[in-house]
Amino acid sequence: MLGLPDLKPPRTRLVERQNRMAVSSDRMTLDPLVAAIDQGTSSTRFLVFNAKTAELVSHHQVEINQSFPKEGWVEEDPKEILQSVCDCMEKTCENLTQLNIDISRIKAIGVTNQRETTLVWDKNTGEPLYNAIVWLDLRTQSTVESLINNTPKRDKNHLKPKTGLPISTYFSAVKLRWLMDNVMEVHEAVLSHRAMFGTVDSWLIWCLTGGKSGGVHCTDVSNASRTMLFNIHTMDWDPELCAYFDIPVEILPKVRSSSEIYGLMESGSLAGVPISGCLGDQSAALVGQMCLQDGQAKNTYGTGCFLLRNTGSKPVMSDHGLLTTVAYKMGRDEPPCYALEGSVAIAGAVVRWLKDNLGIIQSTSEIEKLASSVGTSYGCYFVPAFSGLYAPYWEPSARGIICGLTQFTNRKHLAFAALEAVCFQTREILDAMNQDSGIPLTQLQVDGGMTTNRLLMQLQADILCIPVVRPTMPETTAREGVWSLEHASLTAVTSEKFEPQINPEESESRYARWKKAVMKAMNWETTDPVCNSSGHHN
């Protein structure tokens, strides 16, 4: 129904609007606030929310540099990670002050982080002993192969009954083993009992709560469950797993729940504020999307792609290549909640590769326009197995492949094929999840930076043949900071729905071609001798 025109004098309307704004401003000033550190693979953000409404009040974001010292190696500077967090916090506090919002209203800080990325530092000096080895790093491939070869029946799932994980380059234990074997500073620090191991959450919490002057060395269950050292049934470090990798338990952080006070901020504008929530980024997105019931699922499109399905209070073991992981534990005395997860190494990273390595786009936002201008890959298929293939294959020897090229193929088709690749990989893990659960998803909830790409969202709906639902705030990972106070009061996330627009036969045909391309990418990186240009074997 149409409303009647406002017949009040303009000045009266202006005064009323100013009064409404003043009331709104007062409410924002008086309501308690909570903050979230969101430390991802490619950027760091600090966000401040209204604790009662989950409304985003202010935030700041900076990019993180990655280094690639050798083929397959991916590293980040632990000091740069820490500095980016401190810079984002201070800048956000400046923004709040400019908005006349008292920063003393911030009552708690949550931490969410890139998982599996592995750091070792000296507890006496506070100095990192090597760069952070990023989760998609491949340097441990030979370690993984030898571990698998030494298991009964060469079984990559040998540790799965305890960990829920296959033996893979993805997880922290093999990265930590590599550091202990190959970096003298780490080896010596472990022998002299000075070494501390942690994932990014542990490094940040330790530094922010005092570092070498009494910093808290802890992690939460969701991050611990990604190390291959954590028993997902006993909910603690497992002595047999530590012995298997020959890693001393003393260097590991204390495992805590995902929602409790770990310690207080030691310095900066927020000194004295408790750090009271911690979740790996994909668990945080599950909570941020309000997938708190058994059977609810979400897919996050970031550097990689991660589909998690809440399985409630019991761990469900996958028969189809998925991970069993701890989703969260909402308090010291609360039961854990588990999830099935399908992990894809390369999603947004393929767009960054098109920009940085091939130069076919100048910014990552250009890819939607470029791909939309052709609306098809014209038979070109792209398998971005830059770090091998994760779920459902767990095949580190796979490598990236682009096939179906003709003289007609151009950069627009390649851009379209890259977006399609993200969708096909999601289809593979969704199929596996439907088989494991026996209850097919009827729609897919999505989040993450890539979901602002409308073409990608439509392609995803077309390839899955089910609706795709995107929240109006795509970066739900950081909402984790809110539930550390009162997650039960959060309202549902407002969203937009993308319906499938092609017939299922066409979708199946394109998917079958993709699967054919995946098979071509398998077993590429082998130890077989390779001839060089002069005909001699290397």
Side-chain angles (χ1 to χ4, degrees), residues 460-517:
Q460 189 67 88
D462 290 345
I463 287 164
L464 297 180
C465 302
I466 59 172
V468 168
V469 181
R470 176 183 72 178
T472 47
M473 180 189 171
E475 295 285 10
T476 56
T477 310
R479 280 168 57 101
E480 175 269 324
V482 178
W483 57 255
S484 61
L485 277 186
E486 44 183 286
H487 71 272
S489 69
L490 286 184
T491 53
V493 184
T494 55
S495 56
E496 177 181 8
K497 187 181 278 195
F498 294 81
E499 299 280 355
Q501 291 180 354
I502 65 172
N503 65 53
E505 291 76 22
E506 184 189 341
S507 176
E508 289 302 320
S509 169
R510 280 155 61 179
Y511 183 50
R513 280 282 189 90
W514 155 263
K515 297 283 273 189
K516 196 173 170 184

Side-chain angles (χ1 to χ4, degrees), residues 524-538:
W524 190 266
E525 191 61 35
T526 67
T527 51
D528 295 341
V530 178
C531 281
N532 62 24
S533 57
S534 61
H536 295 295
H537 284 288
N538 293 330

Side-chain angles (χ1 to χ4, degrees), residues 203-408:
W203 166 244
L204 293 178
I205 291 171
W206 186 80
C207 291
L208 295 173
T209 57
K212 62 184 179 181
S213 306
V216 178
H217 189 212
C218 70
T219 188
D220 93 299
V221 293
S222 70
N223 282 294
S225 76
R226 313 296 292 193
T227 60
M228 283 203 296
L229 301 171
F230 183 79
N231 187 317
I232 62 173
H233 309 285
T234 65
M235 299 298 286
D236 207 348
W237 303 122
D238 190 286
E240 287 183 7
L241 291 169
C242 291
Y244 181 84
F245 290 102
D246 195 17
I247 289 169
V249 180
E250 67 175 44
I251 74 172
L252 307 180
K254 182 175 171 56
V255 182
R256 311 276 286 271
S257 78
S258 312
S259 181
E260 60 179 272
I261 294 175
Y262 313 114
L264 306 181
M265 286 286 295
E266 191 64 27
S267 60
S269 300
L270 297 177
V273 177
I275 298 176
S276 62
C278 177
L279 273 179
D281 51 8
Q282 302 313 319
S283 288
L286 192 75
V287 173
Q289 283 267 38
M290 304 301 289
C291 297
L292 303 174
Q293 302 298 317
D294 187 348
Q296 292 181 312
K298 66 88 209 171
N299 197 31
T300 298
Y301 300 75
T303 300
C305 203
F306 305 90
L307 177 57
L308 271 72
R309 184 172 190 146
N310 187 320
T311 63
S313 58
K314 289 188 178 154
V316 174
M317 289 296 164
S318 171
D319 296 320
H320 299 92
L322 301 181
L323 310 177
T324 303
T325 195
V326 180
Y328 52 80
K329 188 175 186 285
M330 292 292 198
R332 218 173 283 187
D333 302 317
E334 295 298 314
C337 181
Y338 296 90
L340 273 174
E341 175 174 334
S343 316
V344 168
I346 304 293
V350 76
V351 182
R352 196 165 174 170
W353 180 81
L354 290 175
K355 176 175 78 77
D356 296 344
N357 293 38
L358 295 195
I360 70 169
I361 49 175
Q362 299 308 306
S363 68
T364 51
S365 58
E366 280 178 42
I367 193 165
E368 181 176 4
K369 186 179 177 185
L370 193 65
S372 296
S373 66
V374 283
T376 175
S377 69
Y378 204 77
C380 171
Y381 287 83
F382 189 166
V383 182
F386 303 154
S387 296
L389 285 169
Y390 285 9
Y393 304 103
W394 300 106
E395 189 48 72
S397 68
R399 285 296 177 273
I401 188 169
I402 301 170
C403 54
L405 300 177
T406 69
Q407 284 181 307
F408 184 74

Side-chain angles (χ1 to χ4, degrees), residues 421-435:
V422 176
C423 301
F424 286 133
Q425 290 180 108
T426 299
R427 165 77 190 266
E428 288 189 303
I429 53 179
L430 186 68
D431 283 356
M433 199 162 277
N434 286 340
Q435 287 176 293

Side-chain angles (χ1 to χ4, degrees), residues 159-221:
L159 304 178
K160 203 168 182 181
K162 282 189 172 187
T163 64
L165 313 172
I167 300 171
S168 164
T169 58
Y170 185 18
F171 307 109
S172 308
V174 286
K175 302 181 199 302
L176 176 53
R177 187 66 256 161
W178 186 93
L179 286 166
M180 290 166 63
D181 290 340
N182 294 279
V183 180
M184 186 55 70
E185 292 86 346
V186 172
H187 177 73
E188 289 174 351
V190 170
L191 289 179
S192 58
H193 308 287
R194 292 178 289 112
M196 284 183 155
F197 153 79
T199 41
V200 170
D201 56 308
S202 301
W203 166 244
L204 293 178
I205 291 171
W206 186 80
C207 291
L208 295 173
T209 57
K212 62 184 179 181
S213 306
V216 178
H217 189 212
C218 70
T219 188
D220 93 299
V221 293

